[in-house]
Amino acid sequence: MTPSPRLCAMTEAVRALYDRNRQRGDAPWCGLAYDFVCPSMGTYPFQWFWDSCFHAIVLSRFDVDRARTEVRSLLANAQPDGFIAHVTFWQRERFETLLSTYSIAYRTPYLSDCIQPPLLAEAVAAAATGPGGDAFLAEVLPRVRRYYEWLHDVRDPDGDGLIATLQPDESGLDHTPKYDRYLGIERCALADFTAAWERVAGPYETVGRDHDAMFALDRFVVEDVLVNTVYAENARVLSELLRRAGDPTGALAWRQRAQATTAGLVEKCHDPSDGLFYDLAGAREEPLRVNTVSSLLPILLPDLPQAMVEGLVSHLVSPAEYAARFPVPSVAMDEPSYLAPSDESTLVYRGPTWLNTNWYISRGLRRHARADLARSIEHGSALLVEREGFREYYDPTTGQGFGARDFSWSGLALDMLARLEEGHAT
Ligand code: GLC
């Protein structure tokens, strides 16, 4: 099928964006070369974990070699135990002044000490397509597997299949209102989030950021719905990668883990009274009953029971909650905490539409035979980029772009547009 002029234009726009945001060089601190796409030159010039995975997925649409390079840079500083930092500060010295604007826990001056939603297996699967894919897979798979083994061994101490985040930024949804009560946030100002973050990260420093001790402190232990949906999906994808690489035993083990995580979400996070999925907080696993986009994410899971899929769809199509002109808002519009974006606020995930969650939700809808709804999200996402450029997030009502400019993962519009034209099932 010949790509449409619309798809060609989007491909060229993303290619140019990824050239502008490309970071290449040698890092004396680790003696390695780097080559990756940063999220945005203005605010995020370093390598972020889940951003980079999205970038590799987008790159695989038009330059699979660069998709592989992106993954290689992400894996370059994987730790012997499997851990991969959520930020690698490759060229830290060049952007020293920006660091004071972040709340980040450091493992070393060049590596953060936390995780982000674990979509590495999906990035590797995308980068391992086409000629040379098997060799690439063989090269990276041991480190990819070790990373997921680390998550399984270290982040699920209660063995319920759900991994836990230990600070709010590990979910990638830094200021989401779903944590407000748990974190004691009362006013919606950046200073309050910074203070709340410090109330969590401070005590962790006193125990040397040792994982068992951090869990024991019980300051912020969240079995997060978005993180676990991504984990379940990636456990399934990892299982497929292991099978492809000739390891049926590993494949079976990870298939079972994927099922265990889905079962954990279904049995522990789903609320039958409203059909939404809620994070579980603290040792007592209290549900964080705030209606955010994260509650809808399990629609991605192919083995989600049909009745639960229908429950999620009913929220998605509700004009009061998520059926905005430019869906899908990151918080239900009828939640008291919903906040339309503005130039004054730098808080993220409190209402605006983001293209990474749109990417997951539209793929989930296709998997569950709701291509009609998927198409409107895919089309709407592409339209946002065509009108406003690659912004960090968009107003769900007006479509106006906000936050960082030239924001790389909004290039997912390309993948969504391609699916729209190809009529994909997944
Ligand atoms: C913000 C987002 C996080 C993202 C990072 C870089 O911190 O909350 O999810 O990875 O910016 O784009």
Side-chain angles (χ1 to χ4, degrees):
M1 199 172 78
T2 323
S4 68
R6 188 184 189 196
L7 186 57
C8 291
M10 182 66 83
T11 306
E12 288 322 305
V14 175
R15 192 194 296 276
L17 171 72
Y18 282 21
D19 283 345
R20 289 197 294 281
N21 287 356
R22 187 171 189 173
Q23 298 292 294
R24 271 187 289 186
D26 294 302
W29 59 272
C30 59
L32 297 170
Y34 58 86
D35 185 351
F36 66 94
V37 177
C38 75
S40 169
M41 286 307 297
T43 36
Y44 312 114
F46 308 110
Q47 185 168 28
W48 263 262
F49 182 98
W50 77 325
D51 299 70
S52 233
C53 293
F54 289 126
H55 304 163
I57 288 163
V58 175
L59 280 165
S60 72
R61 283 268 170 202
F62 59 91
D63 189 341
V64 80
D65 286 335
R66 269 188 73 190
R68 291 174 191 167
T69 303
E70 182 86 18
V71 171
R72 286 191 181 104
S73 280
L74 186 59
L75 293 176
N77 289 289
Q79 300 295 290
D81 63 359
F83 171 82
I84 300 175
H86 101 297
V87 188
T88 307
F89 298 90
W90 287 105
Q91 3 68 310
R92 179 184 172 126
E93 289 74 15
R94 270 177 50 209
F95 299 98
E96 200 70 46
T97 47
L98 268 181
L99 297 172
S100 63
T101 64
Y102 304 148
S103 292
I104 284 190
Y106 293 92
R107 181 172 278 222
T108 77
Y110 299 95
L111 297 175
S112 71
D113 191 40
C114 62
I115 60 165
Q116 267 192 329
L119 52 128
L120 180 60
E122 285 181 278
V124 168
T129 50
D134 287 342
F136 169 74
L137 184 59
E139 172 198 332
V140 299
L141 196 53
R143 277 170 295 170
V144 174
R145 181 170 184 180
R146 216 159 28 242
Y147 169 68
Y148 286 99
E149 297 287 353
W150 180 88
L151 286 176
H152 174 265
D153 294 347
V154 175
R155 289 305 185 99
D156 181 17
D158 62 2
D160 61 359
L162 302 173
I163 56 171
T165 52
L166 292 169
Q167 42 191 78
D169 41 331
E170 290 202 317
S171 68
L173 312 170
D174 302 18
H175 311 119
T176 172
K178 65 186 185 174
Y179 306 143
D180 282 4
R181 264 190 54 186
Y182 185 43
L183 283 172
I185 302 270
E186 276 164 16
R187 288 178 317 133
C188 206
L190 183 61
D192 297 71
F193 288 91
T194 308
W197 186 88
E198 276 159 9
R199 285 197 295 277
V200 175
Y204 288 170
E205 291 300 328
T206 65
V207 296
R209 296 190 63 85
D210 166 76
H211 270 88
D212 291 341
M214 284 156 82
F215 272 105
L217 283 172
D218 204 7
R219 301 293 294 213
F220 185 99
V221 178
V222 174
E223 292 176 325
D224 187 289
V225 171
L226 180 143
V227 170
N228 279 286
T229 301
V230 171
Y231 180 57
E233 169 69 1
N234 278 263
R236 192 184 62 74
V237 174
L238 175 61
S239 155
E240 285 168 9
L241 294 175
L242 288 164
R243 177 167 299 110
R244 176 172 160 191
D247 178 358
T249 314
L252 179 64
W254 277 97
R255 177 102 213 159
Q256 286 167 345
R257 285 178 184 173
Q259 286 162 350
T261 303
T262 300
L265 285 163
V266 164
E267 284 156 26
K268 298 177 79 172
C269 300
H270 184 254
D271 185 334
S273 74
D274 59 11
L276 291 168
F277 288 78
Y278 294 114
D279 297 2
L280 305 174
R284 292 170 54 201
E285 299 194 337
E286 287 182 35
L288 300 178
R289 299 190 89 270
V290 184
N291 184 3
T292 72
V293 70
S294 162
S295 289
L296 308 177
L297 254 269
I299 200 157
L300 177 71
L301 302 173
D303 46 351
L304 196 71
Q306 187 56 26
M308 292 191 184
V309 171
E310 281 160 24
L312 294 178
V313 167
S314 71
H315 289 278
L316 258 172
V317 300
S318 153
E321 296 171 78
Y322 291 104
R325 180 145 172 259
F326 294 97
V328 176
S330 45
V331 177
M333 293 176 290
D334 60 359
E335 268 291 336
S337 53
Y338 172 85
L339 204 64
S342 71
D343 285 325
E344 285 71 57
S345 173
T346 53
L347 299 176
V348 294
Y349 284 102
R350 294 192 73 91
T353 294
W354 292 70
L355 294 207
N356 60 338
T357 42
N358 276 8
W359 184 73
Y360 272 127
I361 288 173
S362 57
R363 285 170 59 231
L365 287 164
R366 284 187 179 278
R367 287 177 179 182
H368 294 289
R370 291 309 305 259
D372 54 329
L373 295 174
R375 279 196 292 271
S376 69
I377 293 175
E378 291 158 352
H379 170 68
S381 300
L383 207 57
L384 287 170
V385 167
E386 287 160 349
R387 288 190 181 171
E388 296 285 312
F390 298 97
R391 297 300 298 264
E392 193 173 4
Y393 44 84
Y394 303 86
D395 188 310
T397 311
T398 65
Q400 194 184 338
F402 287 91
R405 291 172 189 278
D406 259 3
F407 187 70
S408 300
W409 86 37
S410 292
L412 286 165
L414 170 60
D415 197 68
M416 286 188 266
L417 197 54
R419 280 170 202 277
L420 182 63
E421 296 198 358
E422 291 159 4
H424 256 282
T426 51

